[in-house]
Amino acid sequence: MAMDRARRRRHRHPMSAAARSSAFLTLWSAVVVVAAVAPTVSAAAGFSCRGGARAVVFNFGDSNSDTGGMAAAMGWRIRRPEGRAFFHHPTGRFCDGRLTIDFLCESLNIGYLSPYLKALGSDYSNGANFAIAGSATLPRDALFSLHIQVKQFLFFRDRSLELISQGLPGPVDAEGFRNALYMIDIGQNDINALLSYLSYDQVVARFPPILAEIKDAIQTLYDNGSRNFWIHGTGALGCLPQKLSIPRKDDSDLDSNGCLMTYNRAAVTFNAALGSLCDQLSAQMKDATIVYTDLFPLKYDLIANRTKYGFDKPLMTCCGYGGPPYNYNITIGCQDRNASVCDDGSKFVSWDGVHLTEAANAIVAKGILSSDYSRPKIKFDQFCKQRGGAPTSGRPAGGDGELLCLPQAPWSLTPVTAPLNLQSMQHGIQMGSTARGASSGCGCGCVAGSGGLTPV
């Protein structure tokens, strides 16, 4: 498996250790950080729909936004301590409480999205969640890939409209689908799988097929009437305890905050290309709103400014095995009876080595709601719709193709823009079906051990 290969390989980096250290320490001095907030419900729920308005949300992604889909699909009986911080029982989320998407939905006053595959106790009147733990963009026909999730949505939409046409109750009507917000948060598994056996430059060269799948998903949804999109970039992959626990020859790839620079450079480069893709699509789809949000600076700031948020051990897993420095063991997951769990998850950034704690998710949601990390900079409640009416505000001006996310990130793409060649990468994305390829391995979507799966 990809993670087994990762344990046997060393990370390679085109820059010398000294050059990397000097460059990134210099770059960090210009970072734009998130305003300090307490990891509470009120911290995340900064905006809400006004009275008489409602939102419909459809989400596509991996375990970062899976609200129980994989548990329902595979029949997993997830045990405590999952869910202990808020729901007080396991819900199928890989977290001690709420995910970032839960806080975002709270801000819209629509409750929590029901997983598409959860048959019992679901309410789809305000949308559905197609995100499944372990999902990636490639291979595109793999179970629960982004392509399959979009096909599931189309089936859901057609069936809903069919019921309504027969005079039966359907969860969402045609207007609801047209005005809904379509969120996409995927790509982490693709990047992690590639980094487990390829060099940084080789990984970047594999980005176009991944981005082509995201473009295809947006285009397909658009062609079927969707007009409002919210696209998330990936997070600080090099700060995950799961990655940090992989044996390494030395610490030359660690930055001043203890994170792996190669993984983080790949995440920043991917986000730059994804943001550029969103700008292209905004220019082409004149009647659509496409918001791109860069999650890297938000999630990296949890580590870099840990004391501001009250985190004591930003690189150590709350629920895991092995003790300091990372408390992560690939064969003993949070569900294993031999795993240990911290007393107070609000002091930790990482819940299980891959996923954030509820406290960290609340801070990320606060940053998203601020619109400081998005372009165009619109408020999330833009997507509250008056019942039977139009959006609460008009479509804002879109981006003009500039990579506006770069000044916000605590990394500079200056050393990599030449070999990256975004123009060539964009050509690869435009090729679409002819540029697609399959990523080898399955990243952290296939980490198996006695403790069960720990997918993202």
Side-chain angles (χ1 to χ4, degrees):
M1 292 187 299
M3 286 306 305
D4 292 329
R5 289 195 299 270
R7 282 178 166 272
R8 299 192 297 268
R9 297 178 184 269
R10 299 195 301 267
H11 294 290
R12 289 174 287 179
H13 201 287
M15 299 173 64
S16 68
R20 291 196 309 271
S21 177
S22 175
F24 285 115
L25 286 174
T26 300
L27 292 166
W28 174 244
S29 64
V31 64
V32 179
V33 297
V34 186
V37 294
T40 62
V41 180
S42 59
F47 307 95
S48 62
C49 288
R50 299 176 182 85
R54 66 186 287 260
V56 176
V57 177
F58 295 103
N59 182 67
F60 308 87
D62 51 36
S63 64
N64 288 313
S65 58
D66 182 352
T67 53
M70 179 57 86
M74 302 301 293
W76 288 353
R77 292 186 176 276
I78 297 177
R79 302 185 302 271
R80 285 178 63 89
E82 307 285 357
R84 69 173 188 177
F86 180 77
F87 300 103
H88 308 301
H89 63 87
T91 62
R93 292 165 172 80
F94 295 91
C95 182
D96 57 337
R98 286 160 291 185
L99 307 179
T100 297
I101 192 172
D102 293 319
F103 288 108
L104 297 179
C105 287
E106 282 184 0
S107 76
L108 298 177
N109 293 333
I110 63 172
Y112 309 117
L113 288 184
S114 293
Y116 170 66
L117 295 176
K118 187 177 180 181
L120 301 177
S122 295
D123 177 7
Y124 300 117
S125 61
N126 286 315
N129 192 1
F130 297 88
I132 293 284
S135 295
T137 67
L138 295 169
R140 74 184 322 244
D141 290 317
L143 196 60
F144 307 132
S145 68
L146 177 60
H147 174 66
I148 297 299
Q149 290 180 32
V150 171
K151 291 179 69 174
Q152 289 175 324
F153 162 76
L154 294 176
F155 181 89
F156 175 92
R157 184 206 61 175
D158 292 347
R159 181 58 176 155
S160 180
L161 296 179
E162 180 184 13
L163 290 173
I164 293 174
S165 69
Q166 296 172 354
L168 300 172
V172 180
D173 60 16
E175 183 183 19
F177 284 111
R178 182 172 57 253
N179 290 331
L181 174 62
Y182 295 82
M183 300 181 65
I184 298 178
D185 185 348
I186 203 166
Q188 180 171 325
N189 286 325
D190 295 276
I191 301 171
N192 280 336
L194 294 172
L195 282 165
S196 68
Y197 71 103
L198 295 176
S199 68
Y200 168 81
D201 290 334
Q202 291 173 320
V203 169
V204 171
R206 301 286 187 95
F207 283 170
I210 300 172
L211 294 162
E213 289 299 323
I214 297 176
K215 176 182 179 181
D216 181 75
I218 297 173
Q219 185 70 59
T220 299
L221 292 169
Y222 177 84
D223 290 343
N224 281 274
S226 306
R227 290 297 181 267
N228 302 309
F229 301 91
W230 197 285
I231 314 299
H232 285 164
T234 195
L237 308 183
C239 301
L240 299 177
Q242 181 198 55
K243 306 308 174 191
L244 290 165
S245 67
I246 298 173
R248 51 185 179 267
K249 182 179 179 180
D250 53 49
D251 291 340
S252 60
D253 195 40
L254 297 181
D255 66 11
S256 60
N257 291 302
C259 298
L260 292 164
M261 290 187 286
T262 300
Y263 274 85
N264 281 345
R265 286 184 68 216
V268 169
T269 305
F270 177 80
N271 285 359
L274 178 59
S276 181
L277 171 62
C278 290
D279 290 339
Q280 293 176 40
L281 293 176
S282 290
Q284 296 168 14
M285 302 173 180
K286 301 295 187 181
D287 59 337
T289 298
I290 302 177
V291 179
Y292 167 72
T293 300
D294 188 356
L295 294 189
F296 184 93
L298 270 168
K299 293 188 176 182
Y300 187 81
D301 197 56
L302 298 174
I303 310 298
N305 288 291
R306 50 194 173 272
T307 56
K308 179 174 68 175
Y309 303 116
F311 296 129
D312 292 336
K313 301 176 178 65
L315 300 178
M316 187 172 171
T317 293
C318 171
C319 185
Y321 181 84
Y326 306 121
N327 193 37
Y328 182 86
N329 187 302
I330 193 173
T331 64
I332 304 177
C334 182
Q335 287 288 290
D336 193 285
R337 299 187 184 282
N338 293 318
S340 61
V341 60
C342 66
D343 294 329
D344 185 1
S346 68
K347 300 297 184 182
F348 289 72
V349 173
S350 178
W351 168 241
D352 57 12
V354 179
H355 311 99
L356 299 180
T357 59
E358 179 183 82
N361 281 322
I363 295 170
V364 173
K366 176 69 173 181
I368 294 172
L369 292 171
S370 74
S371 77
D372 290 340
Y373 299 87
S374 299
R375 67 174 191 270
K377 294 183 180 299
I378 65 175
K379 298 301 185 183
F380 199 70
D381 64 356
Q382 147 84 11
F383 301 100
C384 294
K385 309 299 183 212
Q386 297 293 336
R387 294 184 183 275
T392 54
S393 60
R395 179 182 185 274
D400 57 5
E402 293 181 303
L403 297 179
L404 303 180
C405 59
L406 300 186
Q408 295 179 347
W411 307 94
S412 171
L413 290 184
T414 303
V416 298
T417 47
L420 174 60
N421 195 344
L422 284 178
Q423 192 170 30
S424 297
M425 181 177 288
Q426 292 161 6
H427 175 70
I429 298 169
Q430 292 165 355
M431 295 297 289
S433 59
T434 60
R436 293 189 182 99
S439 61
S440 174
C442 53
C444 50
C446 294
V447 180
S450 60
L453 298 179
T454 308
V456 65

